Amino acid sequence: MAVTITKDNLAEETATGMVLVDFWADWCAPCKMMDPVLEQLESTYGDRIKFGKLNVEHNQDLAMNYKVMSIPSLVLFRDGKAVEKVTGVYPKDKLAKYLDKKLATN
């Protein structure tokens, strides 16, 4: 299960390895569409990639820091540093190919 990310634990949770953080909100219908996709990906990649969820309503400062202007947005962290961001709804297969590519360059 994805870890809940807040300003209090972001640095710790993203410090090592690859972490995919989902920036979302309760009122966001596309975010809800991404939930089952991310859950399936976590079951496949959870041993190699940590998954996190950050509610932008409760963490607006973090959303601004990472230039999240639209949600859902996925920010990929590598060893504590945000390296890429993708925004919008993506099918599972497309995100799986993206993650495979990122793991191959790890």
Side-chain angles (χ1 to χ4, degrees):
M1 182 164 171
V3 65
T4 299
I5 304 290
T6 67
K7 65 181 181 201
D8 297 325
N9 70 351
L10 176 71
E12 176 185 343
E13 293 294 343
T14 62
T16 57
M18 196 177 300
V19 183
L20 188 67
V21 178
D22 175 23
F23 285 70
W24 68 283
D26 282 328
W27 49 262
C28 170
C31 298
K32 292 178 183 182
M33 292 170 53
M34 287 299 298
D35 280 344
V37 170
L38 293 170
E39 288 171 10
Q40 291 172 22
L41 290 171
E42 185 175 9
S43 70
T44 302
Y45 294 93
D47 59 332
R48 295 167 284 165
I49 301 170
K50 181 188 280 187
F51 287 74
K53 294 183 72 66
L54 186 144
N55 187 325
V56 297
E57 288 293 305
H58 303 132
N59 298 281
Q60 291 179 1
D61 53 339
L62 290 177
M64 286 190 299
N65 286 352
Y66 293 101
K67 296 176 178 42
V68 172
M69 305 297 181
S70 299
I71 54 176
S73 283
L74 303 173
V75 178
L76 183 67
F77 288 81
R78 196 182 299 252
D79 296 326
K81 182 179 178 186
V83 293
E84 278 190 24
K85 177 180 67 173
V86 294
T87 301
V89 175
Y90 288 90
K92 178 186 167 197
D93 292 344
K94 188 169 183 178
L95 275 177
K97 286 179 184 175
Y98 170 79
L99 294 175
D100 287 339
K101 183 177 175 184
K102 296 305 157 190
L103 285 167
T105 60
N106 191 8

